[in-house]
Amino acid sequence: MTAKIDNLVVLFATTSGSSGDLLGSDEKELIQLVWQVVDLANKKIGELNEVFIRPKYLELTDECKEESGVTEDTITTAEPLENALNQFNKRLSVEVNGASLCLCTDGQLHIRQVIHPEASSKNIMLPECFFSFFDLRKEFKKNFPSSADLKDLDIQVMADYLNITSDSSDDTFASHKVQTMASIVLALLSDCYNFTHPETVNEKFETGTCSKMERVDDNTVIRARGLPWQSSDQDIARFFRGLNIAKGGAALCLNAQGRRNGEALVRFVSEEHRDLALQRHKHHMGTRYIEVYKATGEDFLKIAGGTSNEVAHFLSKENQVIVRMRGLPFTATAEDVLLFFSPSCPVTGGRDGILFVKYPDGRPTGDAFVLFSCEEYAQNALKKHKEILGKRYIELFKSTAAEVQQVLNRYTSAPLIPIAPAPIIPVLPQPPFVPPPGVRDCVRLRGLPYIATIEDILEFLGEFTADIRPHGVHMVLNQQGRPSGDSFIQMKSAERAFLTAQKCHKRTMKDRYVEVFQCSAEEMNIVLMGGTLNRSGLSPPPCLSPPSYTFPPQTAVMPADASALFQPQVLLNHRPMQPHAAFYPASTQLFMNYTAYYPRGVCDLGLQAEEQAVTAANCPEDAQTCVAPGSPTSLNYFPSPASAPTLGAQPGGLVRMHGLAYNNGVKEILNIFQGYQYATEDGLMHSHDQARTLLTHPKERPKSPPESMALVNSLCGQPSSSPALMTHPALLLAKQPLRDRGHGHLGGPFLDLQLL
């Protein structure tokens, strides 16, 4: 402040709680203001003034009663804080008669930790004089550098240093403090000391950007925890009212899903203000108490720092209110957003006031930030929360400049496809996984709507549907058994697969664009068995152990003479067990990513060769086109007994399995009965398809019809401990696994196998 100050108002505040260095740390309310005016030009002291304040809670602590001498009876009849402040302002204006003035207090606590926080919590507008003041301790230290350290100074120490004595027998505690402070001010004036450059209190929090290259002092940052999820940077500034936050120094933290996690990092202008902020630990914001801890400058830069020129340009317009939009259609444009908010809440700068959040490859994320010129427009915009844009409802939240940086940093620095975490205990180095070579005659569809069906895929592929192999559509499920948004299509040739990927890439299906990539059947099989295929490479499924790991000896799952007929390189372990050296985390679940993977029946809808010939003869087109290209939509590998008679088949034996675990699936049940299931000579199981070799290459041709092959049929569609039913081709054959496997166990619990 460069203007000349005519009067210094020595002020002392009393709360209903702690005093001294702990003043204001307990969130107690003001109960008393005592002040005295010092005429700097004439070096005269005015009258002593006092006003009592009625707090919301009339209870006083014993410390307050003992030191201040104030009782509940005294403050019961007093005015509330707002009226008391008005009374203070009127008396002061009359006494100085229009001359300039500035407050002077014993330290920072009276103004920064008591008056400003309480006025903010009660929505009281403070007089202008409370936004600048002199700290008598700092002024004394400037004039007397050889005195005690600043942290050790108080009114009594300063008075003793100047040999100031006063009779306090007739004065109250606060009155004595004010009179002593006035005497110290006169002593400084007599030593030709000038009071210039007072402390200031920021009236408003300034938003701004922060560069990752900026240096942030570790001693100026705190972490606030426990914030309401809807709080903004202005709410944080209001909580720390009285303390000066650096420009753009309030950064809300987001979780892994991009939502606020109730934490914020706050950067103050100095270490002194940071230390005062730590004293507000467990103070309240509304009904929630906020925890305040120390943090580092690196922590702040991770959240608020940015390097994007686009974001810097977007945030260059100061004093703007930012609103975050979430859930936008991927096809939404700036014109759609402007139309969504008009006319009640115009966007600042039109198209320049909208920032779309995108992935590094330019794909939209569904998030955007919008600028509004005033709080009124922003509030009108927030009233459109969950209104419809296109076919989606839009979520709206009040945002901050730091959140804009954080969201952009999260999306622009993230890999295009998440990479799976490394094994927890890689005891031995994992050998590199080399994908098997093969013809790239398949395509992968990524980004399908979760409600997409095989019919939707056929419509999506259009003219390329005729190039799909019979039963060549394979939907992929995630680990929870739900659609993953991926699908594999087997085409007739690599050339047709290439054309399909070129022509259909990023076509729209149900308002979503779908990515189409060419791949091989081997890569498809690995993904369907639980592996991953992304831009970082091909990873094997958990059920395929590296060759360097060995398993303990296990009991044969099939008779020795039968197992000799199977090719060992394509056999899957019948019961996955923990290897000697830990390779996968204990929580790893072995699963297959298929939903409709196996062919319908053993030979395409269970038709025998003779029936296929009749069907082909009656079809005007190629016989293959008469077969639906999609795999079955249920988990029935083979025709059930109920459907067998319709195909002219004999219903085999039916086995009841009691005591299945909740997480047991079809794969585990097939493993139990492996070796007792036959494939026909005309079964359409491909030798290159490892996932289909749970029933591998055919044994000797069975005497029974192909339709009487084994089936695992889920009766209710949900995992349960209820029995599972399994048909066998012949009654006598069904009795064999009963003898061998009766009271066996699958994943822990014992199974009770009964022939029905």
Side-chain angles (χ1 to χ4, degrees):
M1 183 179 294
T2 58
K4 182 181 178 181
I5 301 174
D6 299 323
N7 298 281
L8 210 61
V9 181
V10 179
L11 178 69
F12 191 89
T14 306
T15 69
S16 60
S18 301
S19 60
D21 293 339
L22 297 179
L23 183 69
S25 62
D26 51 5
E27 268 189 303
K28 294 297 184 179
E29 298 175 87
L30 271 170
I31 60 172
Q32 183 186 31
L33 285 177
V34 180
W35 71 95
Q36 196 170 23
V37 177
V38 179
D39 188 342
L40 298 181
N42 300 320
K43 299 180 181 180
K44 293 182 179 179
I45 300 177
E47 296 181 358
L48 187 68
N49 295 273
E50 182 180 39
V51 59
F52 289 101
I53 304 167
R54 185 176 75 245
K56 183 177 180 180
Y57 303 100
L58 297 177
E59 183 179 358
L60 304 179
T61 62
D62 294 337
E63 179 184 357
C64 173
K65 294 178 181 179
E66 182 178 354
E67 287 195 357
S68 65
V70 180
T71 62
E72 283 88 349
D73 296 337
T74 305
I75 60 177
T76 300
T77 57
E79 295 291 334
L81 178 61
E82 186 172 11
N83 295 342
L85 290 175
N86 291 334
Q87 185 177 354
F88 165 82
N89 196 35
K90 289 179 180 179
R91 289 191 193 178
L92 203 57
S93 299
V94 171
E95 187 169 358
V96 299
N97 195 22
S100 61
L101 61 89
C102 187
L103 300 181
C104 180
T105 60
D106 176 30
Q108 305 274 316
L109 303 181
H110 298 266
I111 299 294
R112 297 192 184 276
Q113 295 287 73
V114 176
I115 296 177
H116 274 278
E118 185 172 344
S120 175
S121 64
K122 295 181 178 180
N123 295 317
I124 297 174
M125 185 70 68
L126 287 173
E128 185 179 355
C129 61
F130 284 99
F131 289 91
S132 62
F133 68 97
F134 284 101
D135 183 347
L136 186 58
R137 299 183 184 185
K138 291 183 178 181
E139 303 301 321
F140 183 86
K141 183 66 177 178
K142 289 179 184 178
N143 195 58
F144 302 104
S146 60
S147 60
D149 292 339
L150 186 63
K151 62 181 180 179
D152 297 326
L153 286 177
D154 59 18
I155 295 177
Q156 190 59 47
V157 171
M158 291 185 287
D160 293 342
Y161 187 88
L162 297 174
N163 296 321
I164 295 176
T165 58
S166 59
D167 185 12
S168 60
S169 57
D170 297 332
D171 298 325
T172 62
F173 175 79
S175 300
H176 174 68
K177 292 290 185 183
V178 169
Q179 290 176 345
T180 305
M181 291 171 62
S183 300
I184 295 173
V185 170
L186 290 178
L188 292 174
L189 293 175
S190 62
D191 202 23
C192 300
Y193 182 79
N194 295 321
F195 286 87
T196 57
H197 303 95
E199 301 266 345
T200 59
V201 180
N202 292 343
E203 296 187 48
K204 186 178 180 181
F205 169 70
E206 293 184 75
T207 60
T209 59
C210 178
S211 172
K212 281 188 177 293
M213 307 305 296
E214 187 175 344
R215 185 176 179 180
V216 179
D217 187 0
D218 290 343
N219 296 321
T220 61
V221 183
I222 61 95
R223 181 183 297 272
R225 182 178 299 165
L227 298 167
W229 67 268
Q230 72 274 22
S231 58
S232 66
D233 54 354
Q234 297 294 340
D235 297 321
I236 296 172
R238 183 176 180 180
F239 176 79
F240 290 107
R241 182 66 58 84
L243 308 179
N244 294 344
I245 300 176
K247 183 177 181 179
L252 295 166
C253 301
L254 306 181
N255 59 18
Q257 289 73 39
R259 302 175 185 271
R260 297 173 185 173
N261 62 3
E263 294 188 5
L265 289 165
V266 186
R267 176 188 178 190
F268 294 93
V269 296
S270 66
E271 182 179 357
E272 180 184 25
H273 288 240
R274 192 281 308 264
D275 293 339
L276 292 176
L278 292 174
Q279 294 184 15
R280 301 195 186 184
H281 180 61
K282 291 195 174 182
H283 282 203
H284 288 77
M285 179 184 291
T287 58
R288 298 175 63 93
Y289 71 84
I290 308 301
E291 301 175 43
V292 182
Y293 304 100
K294 290 182 180 180
T296 65
E298 182 181 1
D299 295 336
F300 182 81
L301 288 177
K302 286 180 180 179
I303 300 300
T307 57
S308 172
N309 293 330
E310 183 182 12
V311 177
H313 176 72
F314 176 76
L315 298 176
S316 61
K317 305 176 182 65
E318 297 184 357
N319 301 322
Q320 301 291 313
V321 184
I322 306 173
V323 172
R324 180 181 179 183
M325 305 180 71
R326 191 166 63 198
L328 286 168
F330 293 149
T331 58
T333 63
E335 287 73 17
D336 296 331
V337 175
L338 293 174
L339 185 62
F340 178 78
F341 286 114
S342 63
S344 59
C345 36
V347 178
T348 301
R351 295 171 58 93
D352 293 337
I354 303 171
L355 177 65
F356 288 98
V357 183
K358 298 180 180 179
Y359 289 106
D361 59 356
R363 291 183 294 123
T365 64
D367 281 24
F369 293 93
V370 185
L371 294 178
F372 296 96
S373 59
C374 63
E375 189 69 30
E376 179 183 359
Y377 288 163
Q379 291 301 325
N380 291 336
L382 293 174
K383 293 178 182 178
K384 294 180 176 288
H385 181 61
K386 291 195 174 182
E387 288 191 7
I388 303 298
L389 175 58
K391 295 183 179 180
R392 298 175 64 92
Y393 71 85
I394 309 301
E395 296 178 285
L396 300 174
F397 307 96
K398 199 171 181 181
S399 186
T400 67
E403 184 174 357
V404 176
Q405 292 278 24
Q406 191 176 173
V407 172
L408 266 294
N409 292 342
R410 182 183 302 274
Y411 282 110
T412 56
S413 61
L416 296 181
I417 301 178
I419 300 175
I424 295 178
I425 314 176
V427 179
L428 297 176
Q430 181 178 353
F433 181 79
V434 180
V439 180
R440 298 173 64 82
D441 58 350
C442 301
V443 293
R444 178 187 182 186
L445 274 60
R446 185 174 69 184
L448 293 169
Y450 293 143
I451 60 174
T453 62
I454 292 178
E455 290 73 16
D456 296 325
I457 293 176
L458 299 181
E459 182 180 354
F460 171 81
L461 295 177
E463 67 273 17
F464 298 101
T465 303
D467 299 318
I468 302 176
R469 290 184 180 180
H471 306 294
V473 181
H474 306 280
M475 308 289 288
V476 183
L477 297 181
N478 60 18
Q479 191 169 355
Q480 289 73 38
R482 298 174 180 173
S484 65
D486 281 21
S487 175
F488 285 92
I489 315 294
Q490 292 178 286
M491 310 299 291
K492 290 181 179 180
S493 66
E495 291 75 14
R496 302 306 296 175
F498 175 78
L499 288 176
T500 304
Q502 291 293 317
K503 299 293 184 180
C504 298
H505 186 57
K506 291 196 174 181
R507 278 188 184 177
T508 302
M509 179 191 299
K510 297 183 182 294
D511 297 330
R512 291 178 64 99
Y513 73 85
V514 179
E515 298 173 290
V516 183
F517 308 101
Q518 187 181 9
C519 66
S520 66
E522 287 77 7
E523 293 171 333
M524 175 189 72
N525 293 335
I526 289 174
V527 173
L528 292 175
M529 292 180 66
T532 57
L533 174 63
N534 51 39
R535 297 183 183 180
S536 62
L538 186 64
S539 302
C543 56
L544 296 181
S545 300
S548 62
Y549 291 88
T550 58
F551 288 82
Q554 300 162 2
T555 306
V557 72
M558 62 186 71
D561 56 345
S563 61
L565 299 175
F566 289 80
Q567 297 184 16
Q569 66 269 21
V570 294
L571 274 176
L572 295 181
N573 193 344
H574 77 285
R575 193 176 300 166
M577 300 183 68
Q578 186 75 9
H580 290 302
F583 180 69
Y584 294 104
S587 61
T588 299
Q589 298 183 11
L590 304 184
F591 64 96
M592 287 187 176
N593 283 350
Y594 56 79
T595 175
Y597 188 74
Y598 288 85
R600 298 190 185 182
V602 175
C603 51
D604 292 342
L605 297 177
L607 296 178
Q608 297 182 358
E610 296 83 1
E611 292 173 326
Q612 288 184 351
V614 174
T615 305
N618 294 331
C619 289
E621 303 173 350
D622 184 16
Q624 289 184 345
T625 61
C626 296
V627 181
S631 301
T633 55
S634 66
L635 290 179
N636 295 340
Y637 291 172
F638 305 99
S640 62
S643 63
T646 64
L647 299 174
Q650 298 177 2
L654 191 62
V655 176
R656 181 175 185 266
M657 304 176 67
H658 184 74
L660 287 173
Y662 286 96
N663 59 350
N664 286 150
V666 175
K667 172 174 171 276
E668 287 80 9
I669 299 175
L670 284 180
N671 288 339
I672 281 288
F673 286 88
Q674 189 170 8
Y676 300 96
Q677 304 165 351
Y678 297 146
T680 65
E681 68 174 357
D682 48 35
L684 299 180
M685 300 180 186
H686 303 288
S687 60
H688 67 269
D689 193 341
Q690 294 185 11
R692 301 186 182 188
T693 55
L694 285 172
L695 303 179
T696 58
H697 294 284
K699 291 180 55 178
E700 297 179 3
R701 181 176 181 177
K703 303 299 182 181
S704 57
E707 294 82 14
S708 59
M709 302 304 293
L711 163 74
V712 177
N713 186 18
S714 175
L715 297 180
C716 57
Q718 295 291 337
S720 67
S721 59
S722 61
L725 300 179
M726 186 167 186
T727 63
H728 267 273
L731 185 60
L732 292 178
L733 186 61
K735 293 180 181 180
Q736 187 176 1
L738 285 179
R739 294 193 300 268
D740 297 345
R741 310 291 171 79
H743 299 285
H745 64 88
L746 180 62
F750 282 88
L751 298 177
D752 186 12
L753 305 182
Q754 302 173 4
L755 182 63
L756 301 180

